[in-house]
Amino acid sequence: MITEKSLKALEFDKVAQKLSEYCVLYKTKELAISLKPEDNFLNAKHLQDKTSEAFELLYTGGVSGIEFFDDIEDAPERAEKGSSLSMGELLRIARFLKSSRILSASIISSTVDAPILKGQASAIFVDSYLENEIRSKIISNETMSDNASEKLYSLRKLIKRLNEQIREKLQSFIRAGNNKYLQENIITMRGDRYVLPVKSEYRGQISGFIHDQSSTGSTVFIEPTAVLELNNSLKTATLEEQLEVERILADLSQKVGVISKQLKANEQIAVDIDLTYGKAIYAYKTNSIRPNFNANGRMNVVRGRHPLISPKTVVPVSVKFGYDYNYLLITGPNTGGKTVTLKMVGLFSIMATCGMFIQAEIGSEISYFSKIFCDVGDEQSIEQSLSTFSSHMKNIISITENVDGESLVLIDEIGAGTDPDEGSALARAIIERLLEKNSYGIITTHYSALKEFAYSDLRIKNAGMEFDSQTFAPLYKINIGMPGSSNAIEISKRLGLTEEIASKAYSFLSGSKISFEKVLKEAEKSRQEALDLKTKLELIKIEEDKKLKEISDERQKLELEKERFYSKAKAESRRIVTEKLEEADEIINEIKVLFDKEELTSGDLIRARTLRNKLEDKKYDLDEVEEKIVNYSPVDVKKLKVGDEVFHKPTESICKVNSVNEKKGECEIFMGTVRLKAKISDLFFISKASQKPKTTVAVKRDAFVSPLIEINVIGLTVLEAIPEIESFIDQAIVNNLEEVKIIHGKGLKILSTAIHDFLRRNKRVESYRFGKYGEGERGVTFVKLK
């Protein structure tokens, strides 16, 4: 059991107060302020799970929070016992039913996985009929709707008519020349009766019943006989109306009484979910995380921030114990953050046990402790005549008597307030007792002997609050493994102590104390210098990595430019060759025409000789075309990876690997924007490149195959034709063709429709059309490529 004293010492009440500000309902706020840790690990973990679900519902699922409703107090119980509720109480019941209905629907309809909260939401009782009935019959805390019942509607209609008749009668009475008897020409009321203000001396002139007179006696208020019966009827109707209102209220109250237990159960569920939502909102507002929760004493706070210190000024601290050692012995200068760190650890453990998240970073681990003992601050008791030391010792004695293996112990400045030698010895004995009990915790001290003890016992580890080795200013950071130095004299100098007093103070220190503190200071100085050097090296590494990336990017850019240049050169070479071949074909065809004649004239022979000479002249020089010589080696499938540039033999192109299927012996490659399936056996690694010397190339007709400019798919099915056309278009793009022709026939238009649909979705197709008259019309399609 975590005592109220420990909760107050760690200031958990202030955290609870902050939590209450994020709750909606009054009862929830009161519950949050009096929040207590769970006394069972599984219950505490259950609360953590609920808070996680609430966080997801609110900030991932977009579920709205609880709609506010007034406390329904004991109204349902009174209604169950037969009491009639007031209009205001019934309206509060209706608002409560509405809030319950919205809460249940919002959680159950969410797609977020939240089994705990959805289980609670499904248990909420919903009565939309009663909710709507109350809201339709009761307008406000004092007013019931005319339409609450047919009888009430009729009675109120009658009352309105009687009021109008009475006022009309009295008005006609005034207009009939009786105004000389009246003090004022007005109609007023006494009690629930309509009357006229008559001058006292004329009371005998007006026949009727006197209900009242003015304080001076000069005016009497008379109900004329002419309206007496109408007033009686009005009185009767008004009483009947009141009885009908009470009947309706009793009926509604009876319906509330029937579901009294469900309403109270709803209230408990709503308050519980509101508190859980409050924890989730607190976590979001404070940038908190859910810690890894255990029951093994492991505490690992990663850059934790004390929840009661402003986020603008708090310095994150990392603390770890409960793994290889049970205790941390924190030393260091005053105002260095020892007490804040100690309190933060205790608070985080309590918060996690209450189902709250903690202000730390992902990876933090918090342990459940069934007991938390805390001795922090000045607890001098004047009433009990106890000194600060006595008060502390009384507290520590209680700790040593009740501590066990599930306890967290937090002691600030152990053994302080008495003789240093005795205090140090007493502190060590107490620590050894705590270690024997296998408990966990943090202890702060200034005693050097305890620092030495922490080096000799594996169950406790030194930790020091860091300070600036030059200015001795605290850095509010903890260094586990290295004890801290108190630096009391140096800090006093910073606060204004004279050099003379400081020097004298140093002279009173023992040699071993000076030597030990000097070693600590030098160690801290060396550690900080190493840390600074490491930081500088990391910055240099980042800068160098940045430069290397820039060089790599520039090199890649140059390679791309180079590749584009060679691609253009290759395309230009192909264009020249194609052009020369077409000219050569024309000459050859002319020669064939001549030799096909039955008889050759001398002119034909001269013409043939001329054409032969012209063909000889068509040998051309590619002096201006430089080709790239590349040495290729067969691809090793084990070394082939995505992004590699390879040579594709069937298309004689350099491509980039997009994916590799080693089992099928295939891979997917990109040829510019064209994606192809290729056999790995058709791929070659590019080993090196050099410049080919200028070469004269002669045209040889049989060594060149013109690229296909048309494809015939007549007779093929759609499933057979589309892959053929896709491959045909790929080859056309590789050969830089601008327009190709697809022969598909007219038929039933099934094939042509499927082909056009494919072409419309193909990003490499600029446009397409059916053939014109003389081109094949609707039996062919011409495709213009990008």
Side-chain angles (χ1 to χ4, degrees), residues 678-698:
K679 294 180 179 179
I680 293 176
S681 59
D682 289 338
L683 302 180
F684 295 84
F685 281 136
I686 306 167
S687 57
K688 70 176 183 177
S690 62
Q691 202 66 30
K692 182 178 178 180
K694 295 176 183 178
T695 308
T696 300
V697 180

Side-chain angles (χ1 to χ4, degrees), residues 28 50 54 85 102 118 123 125 150 164 326 346 427 483 603 671 717 727:
T28 315
K50 281 176 65 176
L85 303 180
I102 293 173
K118 285 188 176 182
F125 174 78
E150 290 184 8
E164 290 173 352
N326 286 23
M671 186 186 302
T717 64
S727 176

Side-chain angles (χ1 to χ4, degrees), residues 162-180:
L162 289 171
N163 273 293
E164 290 173 352
Q165 290 176 353
I166 293 169
R167 294 184 71 85
E168 181 58 33
K169 280 271 187 184
L170 292 175
Q171 286 290 350
S172 63
F173 183 85
I174 294 170
R175 289 194 298 269
N178 295 309
N179 54 347
K180 62 183 179 179

